Amino acid sequence: MKRLLVLLAAGATAVGLTTLAGPSAQAATGCKVDYTITSQWQGGFQAGVKITNLGDSVSGWNLKFTMADAGQKVVQGWNATWSQSGSAVTAAGTDWNGTLPTGASADLGFVGSFTGSNPKPASFTLNGVTCTGSVTDPPTDPPTDPPATGTPVATNGQLHVCGVNLCNQYNRPIQLRGMSTHGIQWFGKCYNDTSLDALAEDWKSDLFRVAMYVQEQGYETDPAGFTSRVNSMVDMAEARGMYAVIDFHTLTPGDPNYNLDRAKTFFSSVAARNANKKNVIYEIANEPNGVSWTAIKNYAEQVIPVIRAADPDAVIIVGTRGWSSLGVSDGSNESEVVNSPVNATNIMYAFHFYAASHKDDYRAAVSRAASRLPLFVSEFGTVSATGGGAMDRASSIAWLDLLDQLKISYANWTYSDADEGSAAFKPGTCNGSDYSSSGVLTESGALIKSRISSTDNFPTS
Ligand code: IDC
């Protein structure tokens, strides 16, 4: 059966073609094309084109090839919708032969014209896959695979704020426990496949906070480069089933409005790029300081809509006054936020502490605030607020017990080998490949690892 379909003027631009899906990442692909010049005459020829699908069944196909000589044109084709643009020829499957099960063939053909010689095309692609006559199996472990069963992201799915809690896909409150990077501009070498495997598998971390400083040789020096580094760290977390907090690590200057334009640029980009991921949480200003809650709130109300426009359902963390102390470090308290919350939904407020510096009065503020505000401890240290000094074990344990009891999520500063007490690894660890043995841990690292690696028991119904 020949059905005459499309008559194209030579050189016409391809129009009206259905856009066909390419091969799915999961599908086995492969095809064979037999191109036969069945007859030829002065300036004209007829070609038969037999496509055999060797891969998984395709529904909707698109065969493409390039004429080997610029003077060759499709004049009239059959059993496909034919078009030509320059030397590029497309034949699209029709409603009666658009589905090709494994092993099935479609016989098409066309009448062509030529001005010089009439060679055969060199190669053919079917839905973007070159027809080599053999099958390519799908990658066994593509990096975009859904996380393995049982990981934090596989279990909890897309998160949302419910009341004052962070809730999972079953609308049940959960607590995420994990680690923050140090400044990625300084400690990039600490974030590689081996260290991330250790974080996911040995530490059983639920969470990986990516601290992207804006100043101090950070984002402002190379916006595109830092954006792409953050994105690849989000992917590394996703591949291991961990949540990723994208931390716009403002610190000095303390007024986040100083970086408002940068924040809009950065978040519109990362939110668009990561919108379909379930593992992303946005933290829009690490630690506002020397600035009023009103100014912070104003910043938040400008940045949040930028994220929402691209990624409507992700949880967003808003920094608070006094280095994200809910104002306590500035002599205020949580009431300023309770009385004037950010005008947005699905957000949480950051609370940060350093256990050797921040003790009972700060714990009291968190205990009070926890029933009024959704809190997220996106950064804390076991040491002093400088990031150095000795670990305060008693205060650290009091804090962690409180956070567990209140189901407040946390990330510890830092998963790095910085030469300071807050680092989890001894200096030099990131020059090697051992992130798993107890010998590489600092005192802080050992305590935090023992806390984070205990069973999560996430609710699943
Ligand atoms: C510290 C680092 C330190 C670095 C300093 C300035 O540990 O190596 O020199 O920043 O960039 C925070 C901040 C966090 C601080 C940390 C410890 O969010 O950037 O890291 N800290 O001082 N808030 C309270 C403490």
Side-chain angles (χ1 to χ4, degrees):
M1 173 185 61
K2 281 186 190 177
R3 299 199 197 183
L4 296 182
L5 287 173
V6 181
L7 185 60
L8 283 176
T13 307
V15 285
L17 284 177
T18 322
T19 306
L20 298 166
S24 125
Q26 308 304 316
T29 54
C31 44
K32 179 162 143 327
V33 170
D34 300 303
Y35 181 100
T36 317
I37 295 175
T38 49
S39 58
Q40 184 169 321
W41 55 91
Q42 183 71 45
F45 66 105
Q46 179 170 321
V49 182
K50 179 177 183 174
I51 306 169
T52 306
N53 176 26
L54 304 173
D56 292 344
S57 181
V58 290
S59 207
W61 52 260
N62 205 322
L63 179 78
K64 290 180 188 286
F65 59 89
T66 303
M67 291 295 199
D69 188 282
Q72 294 169 304
K73 304 290 177 203
V74 174
V75 175
Q76 183 180 327
W78 53 88
N79 289 352
T81 302
W82 289 85
S83 61
Q84 184 170 354
S85 174
S87 290
V89 177
T90 301
T94 67
D95 53 1
W96 75 88
N97 67 3
T99 297
L100 280 182
T102 305
S105 296
D107 277 301
L108 358 160
F110 63 95
V111 170
S113 62
F114 67 100
T115 50
S117 60
N118 189 28
K120 292 182 184 180
S123 77
F124 301 84
T125 62
L126 187 69
N127 289 359
V129 173
T130 304
C131 295
T132 59
S134 62
V135 186
T136 304
D137 287 324
T140 47
D141 187 22
T144 49
D145 254 2
T149 329
T151 65
V153 176
T155 304
N156 295 297
Q158 176 62 53
L159 305 175
H160 64 279
V161 179
C162 51
V164 294
N165 292 112
L166 182 64
C167 277
N168 68 7
Q169 59 183 335
Y170 306 103
N171 206 27
R172 300 279 299 274
I174 59 162
Q175 177 198 33
L176 301 178
R177 298 171 299 160
M179 294 299 290
S180 174
T181 67
H182 202 293
I184 59 171
Q185 77 275 42
W186 299 311
F187 290 89
K189 64 176 185 199
C190 293
Y191 313 111
N192 52 62
D193 283 335
T194 312
S195 68
L196 269 282
D197 283 348
L199 185 61
E201 288 160 24
D202 303 333
W203 289 61
K204 310 220 177 306
S205 187
D206 308 323
L207 178 68
F208 182 54
R209 178 190 192 231
V210 180
M212 186 198 71
Y213 274 78
V214 185
Q215 276 72 47
E216 300 186 58
Q217 299 307 304
Y219 175 80
E220 66 177 3
T221 65
D222 178 12
F226 277 94
T227 302
S228 115
R229 266 190 258 176
V230 168
N231 285 331
S232 63
M233 291 166 83
V234 167
D235 294 348
M236 291 170 89
E238 182 190 39
R240 293 162 177 83
M242 291 188 286
Y243 289 92
V245 174
I246 297 181
D247 164 32
F248 194 67
H249 201 85
T250 58
L251 186 60
T252 309
D255 182 351
N257 292 291
Y258 175 83
N259 289 305
L260 179 61
D261 288 344
R262 290 183 194 91
K264 287 181 176 174
T265 303
F266 172 71
F267 282 110
S268 66
S269 172
V270 291
R273 194 262 188 190
N274 298 304
N276 294 328
K277 297 187 188 291
K278 293 193 168 101
N279 74 319
V280 176
I281 297 171
Y282 302 97
E283 182 176 8
I284 60 174
N286 166 50
E287 292 191 350
N289 59 88
V291 66
S292 68
W293 169 242
T294 307
I296 301 165
K297 175 174 138 91
N298 186 45
Y299 166 85
E301 289 175 357
Q302 295 184 72
V303 175
I304 291 169
V306 170
I307 299 176
R308 290 282 184 254
D311 185 350
D313 62 355
V315 172
I316 297 174
I317 303 171
V318 179
T320 58
R321 184 176 158 199
W323 294 275
S324 287
S325 68
L326 287 169
V328 178
S329 288
D330 275 356
S332 181
N333 59 49
E334 75 284 359
S335 63
E336 63 185 23
V337 181
V338 172
N339 294 334
S340 180
V342 171
N343 183 19
T345 55
N346 213 25
I347 62 163
M348 307 190 84
Y349 296 95
F351 183 85
H352 292 179
F353 66 85
Y354 279 75
S357 304
H358 309 125
K359 301 190 178 179
D360 289 343
D361 45 343
Y362 288 81
R363 283 190 280 268
V366 167
S367 301
R368 287 191 311 268
S371 60
R372 315 288 302 273
L373 299 170
L375 300 179
F376 198 117
V377 174
S378 49
E379 182 185 311
F380 78 96
T382 60
V383 298
S384 90
T386 63
M391 176 171 92
D392 187 328
R393 180 176 297 273
S395 177
S396 297
I397 289 173
W399 270 115
L400 292 170
D401 288 348
L402 179 67
L403 300 182
D404 290 353
Q405 182 202 320
L406 296 171
K407 273 200 190 305
I408 296 177
S409 299
Y410 64 74
N412 174 250
W413 185 264
T414 58
Y415 197 69
S416 82
D417 66 351
D419 191 4
E420 54 190 16
S422 52
F425 296 112
K426 290 176 181 162
T429 300
C430 300
N431 300 331
S433 56
D434 175 12
Y435 295 87
S436 294
S437 65
S438 59
V440 296
L441 296 174
T442 62
E443 198 183 3
S444 182
L447 171 67
I448 298 299
K449 183 179 180 182
S450 75
R451 296 290 298 220
I452 289 182
S453 58
S454 67
T455 309
D456 284 305
N457 290 321
F458 293 123
T460 55
S461 61

